[in-house]
């Protein structure tokens, strides 16, 4: 691909890092579920999904570190930044209130993530294209898995229906942020590297509409939408995540195992 | 898929492929990394050998082990200057499993992927109906007794590349190598 200007490269580093942040923070939340899912198969499923996400993160962080060329590596990017430097979507740091929340968060994110990676698979950037081609295949399984649970719980008992609806309702205000284009998105879209987030809406709406229909659930109205994750302004949960995530590296700097 | 080894031109290339074909997949030791279809190419430039490898899954923990195993095997066989290059694109697909590999999987008790992975093409961009989203479950014969009366327990199994199935006939659980 063509030589990028310094500003373009900086945008690409930020882009690669924040897509990695999305995967890292969601994988951390899923890892918290290990041994806490409602059944053994689900424990295995959620940790498998977390593993896919970690895999995506590693390639994206390594690429950012290589472009930046300041001696950082994937581990330093993962463990040694301040809260404000993490640029993940707010949706992904929301806590595992109950199993319905875990599934709703996964479903809403995957419904955007699948068309996102499908689009990124045409990127002019070789590394992002490679990550995307692989991620599409993995995320398709994530979306399908989450969708099946949304339907099973939504169209289940009165209790499971109520909890699934409550989780979708509670997390809905974090879905708007997934489609907001900022300067980095616009710059990279113009270069043929990034994705037009607006173009993901129809696929997201289809997936959400069809699955919620099958699940006898109601799609919430689009009201006020929370944002801030992409500029490092997080919800209160983020600090707690980082405290746990960074504990070992902060306590024993550079420790490996 | 065509047998990738047959593409090797020179005697030296063939020798290197033979070495690689003796490197087992750490998670499914009956398969070689060549059977698995992750070795995408071998380049020889003088003393330097570069092996291109495409990981099966982004987060596959075996990837690093495989890399070390390949280098160790090549070093042992007189190629001390070998390098492994990770190639992300095109992404690995179960269509790259060799016929021999599929047969070995079945003997090992793992159901090989039902052909082919390419069913998830671009058509589902158009119609993302819930049934499309959930996909049709393939007919997976039991690798232990051969019965087609099997059920999917979970799309996620003992490793990222496998789903968990059970046989209604012989009642045994088994792993299914997912189409990707």
């Amino acid at each position: 691909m063509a030589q990028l200007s310094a500003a373009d490269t900086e945008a690409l580093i930020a882009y690669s890092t924040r897509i990695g942040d999305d995967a890292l923070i969601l994988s951390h939340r899923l890892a918290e579920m290990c041994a806490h899912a409602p059944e053994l198969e689900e424990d295995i499923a959620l940790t498998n999904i977390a593993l896919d996400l970690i895999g995506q993160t590693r390639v994206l962080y390594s690429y950012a570190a290589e472009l930046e060329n300041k001696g950082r590596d994937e581990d330093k990017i993962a463990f040694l930044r301040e809260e404000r430097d993490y640029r993940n979507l707010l949706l992904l740091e929301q806590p595992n209130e109950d199993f319905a929340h875990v599934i709703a968060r996964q479903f809403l994110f995957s419904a955007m993530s699948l068309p996102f990676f499908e689009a990124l698979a045409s990127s002019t950037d070789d590394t992002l294209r490679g990550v995307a081609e692989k991620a599409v295949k993995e995320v398709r399984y994530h979306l399908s898995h989450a969708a099946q649970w949304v339907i099973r719980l939504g169209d289940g008992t009165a209790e499971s229906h109520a909890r699934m609806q409550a989780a979708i309702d509670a997390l809905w205000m974090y879905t708007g942020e997934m489609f907001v284009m900022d300067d980095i998105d616009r710059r990279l879209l113009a270069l043929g590297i990034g994705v037009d987030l607006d173009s993901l809406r129809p696929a997201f709406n289809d997936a959400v509409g069809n699955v919620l229909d099958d699940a006898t659930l109601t799609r919430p109205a689009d009201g006020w939408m929370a944002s801030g994750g992409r500029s490092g302004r997080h919800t209160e949960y983020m600090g707690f995540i980082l405290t746990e995530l960074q504990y070992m590296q902060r306590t024993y700097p550079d420790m490996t195992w | 898929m065509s047998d990738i080894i047959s593409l090797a031109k020179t005697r030296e290339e063939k020798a290197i492929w033979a070495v690689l074909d003796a490197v087992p997949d750490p998670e499914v030791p009956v398969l070689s990394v060549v059977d698995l279809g992750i070795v995408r190419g071998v380049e020889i430039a003088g003393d330097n050998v570069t092996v291109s490898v495409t990981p099966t899954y982004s987060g596959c923990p075996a990837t690093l082990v495989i890399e070390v195993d390949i280098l160790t095997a090549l070093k042992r066989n007189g190629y001390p200057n070998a390098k492994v290059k990770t190639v992300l694109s095109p992404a690995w697909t179960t269509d790259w499993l060799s016929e021999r590999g599929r047969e070995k999987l079945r003997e090992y008790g793992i159901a090989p992927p039902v052909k082919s992975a390419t069913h998830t093409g671009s058509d589902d961009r158009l119609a993302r109906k819930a049934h499309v989203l959930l996909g049709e479950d393939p007919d997976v014969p039991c690798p232990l007794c051969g019965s087609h009366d099997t059920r999917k327990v979970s799309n996620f199994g003992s490793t990222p590349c496998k789903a968990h199935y059970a046989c209604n006939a012989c009642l045994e659980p088994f792993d299914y190598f997912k189409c990707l």
Side-chain angles (χ1 to χ4, degrees):
Chain A
M1 75 177 265
Q3 199 56 42
L4 295 176
S5 73
D8 290 344
T9 304
E10 203 169 313
L12 179 54
I13 293 167
Y15 197 67
S16 195
T17 307
R18 73 193 193 183
I19 305 168
D21 289 343
D22 284 348
L24 177 74
I25 299 305
L26 180 55
S27 76
H28 181 84
R29 280 296 190 212
L30 291 170
E32 287 177 352
M33 288 299 293
C34 188
H36 294 280
E39 56 181 25
L40 178 62
E41 288 78 8
E42 197 51 28
D43 252 15
I44 294 169
L46 295 177
T47 44
N48 257 295
I49 294 172
L51 186 62
D52 287 343
L53 294 166
I54 287 278
Q56 295 165 17
T57 303
R58 293 187 61 183
V59 181
L60 290 161
Y61 281 178
S62 299
Y63 185 46
E66 179 196 331
L67 288 169
E68 177 188 75
N69 200 13
K70 286 185 189 162
R72 289 202 303 177
D73 61 8
E74 58 182 88
D75 287 338
K76 287 199 165 54
I77 295 179
F79 298 118
L80 296 179
R81 284 178 294 156
E82 302 294 321
E83 181 177 320
R84 285 275 168 129
D85 297 328
Y86 288 83
R87 298 298 163 94
N88 54 282
L89 296 162
L90 298 178
L91 171 67
L92 306 174
E93 63 198 48
Q94 299 313 299
N96 304 326
E97 295 284 354
D98 63 5
F99 185 58
H101 276 73
V102 174
I103 291 301
R105 184 184 59 212
Q106 191 65 47
F107 172 65
L108 294 170
F109 176 65
S110 301
M112 179 282 296
S113 185
L114 180 57
F116 174 81
F117 282 123
E118 281 174 345
L120 194 65
S122 323
S123 172
T124 53
D125 183 276
D126 292 346
T127 306
L128 292 186
R129 193 172 61 245
V131 171
E133 277 181 27
K134 177 116 297 214
V136 162
K137 297 173 167 222
E138 293 164 355
V139 173
R140 195 173 277 125
Y141 276 110
H142 305 172
L143 178 59
S144 156
H145 183 77
Q148 288 176 53
W149 271 114
V150 171
I151 294 168
R152 199 173 294 135
L153 296 170
D155 195 15
T157 64
E159 174 74 7
S160 72
H161 175 92
R163 282 182 176 230
M164 198 65 239
Q165 185 69 60
I168 295 277
D169 290 349
L171 295 177
W172 195 254
M173 70 173 179
Y174 297 108
T175 56
E177 191 187 23
M178 301 195 292
F179 306 99
V180 176
M181 298 282 286
D182 65 7
D183 290 347
I184 292 171
D185 288 301
R186 280 188 291 270
R187 180 185 282 266
L188 293 177
L189 177 61
L191 289 165
I193 295 173
V195 170
D196 176 3
L197 300 177
D198 243 350
S199 73
L200 312 178
R201 282 181 199 268
F204 174 82
N205 288 335
D206 277 359
V208 168
N210 288 316
V211 171
L212 291 188
D213 247 13
D214 277 11
T216 70
L217 296 166
T218 310
R219 178 185 167 130
D222 284 359
W224 178 80
M225 290 289 178
S227 65
R230 288 293 187 233
S231 50
R233 289 172 297 113
H234 292 276
T235 57
E236 64 190 279
Y237 306 107
M238 191 65 180
F240 293 94
I241 290 178
L242 294 183
T243 302
E244 191 173 354
L245 184 77
Q246 299 186 342
Y247 173 81
M248 289 299 268
Q249 276 303 314
R250 297 286 186 195
T251 312
Y252 305 102
D254 298 325
M255 67 96 56
T256 56
W257 62 337
Chain B
M1 75 155 225
S2 64
D3 191 352
I4 196 162
I5 301 181
S6 64
L7 299 175
K9 305 272 187 300
T10 62
R11 182 184 308 195
E12 174 125 70
E13 270 183 39
K14 282 193 171 59
I16 289 170
W17 278 103
V19 171
L20 296 173
D21 200 24
V23 176
D25 171 5
E27 280 172 344
V28 190
V30 289
L31 288 186
S32 82
V33 291
V34 175
D35 288 328
L36 195 58
I38 60 171
V39 180
R40 304 313 302 159
V42 170
E43 287 163 50
I44 304 168
D47 270 357
N48 297 311
V49 177
T50 306
V51 179
S52 298
V53 170
T54 296
T56 50
Y57 274 72
S58 306
C60 181
T63 310
L64 196 63
V65 178
I66 288 172
E67 197 170 308
V68 171
D69 289 352
I70 286 176
L71 294 177
T72 309
L74 287 170
K75 193 174 254 170
R76 243 200 337 259
N77 286 277
Y79 300 98
N81 296 330
K83 279 207 303 284
V84 169
K85 187 170 74 182
T86 304
V87 180
L88 293 175
S89 174
W92 183 81
T93 160
T94 36
D95 295 351
W96 293 350
L97 277 168
S98 69
E99 272 311 317
R100 196 181 49 166
R102 301 170 66 86
E103 202 39 55
K104 283 185 188 169
L105 275 176
R106 198 176 294 112
E107 283 168 18
Y108 191 64
I110 298 172
V114 174
K115 286 184 170 173
S116 107
T118 42
H119 70 279
T120 45
S122 53
D123 16 333
D124 60 353
R125 289 185 196 205
L126 305 171
R128 233 175 258 277
K129 285 278 172 233
H131 67 271
V132 173
L133 202 68
L134 306 181
E136 294 296 317
D137 278 344
D139 169 20
V140 181
C142 172
L144 310 165
C145 76
S147 167
H148 284 253
D149 183 14
T150 58
R151 68 182 189 278
K152 181 168 77 184
V153 178
S154 171
N155 243 334
F156 298 90
S158 56
T159 65
C161 50
K162 299 194 208 85
H164 178 196
Y165 272 65
C167 177
N168 296 327
C170 71
L171 304 182
E172 289 290 335
F174 64 91
D175 270 337
Y176 167 59
F177 213 104
K178 289 198 282 236
C179 284
L180 193 70

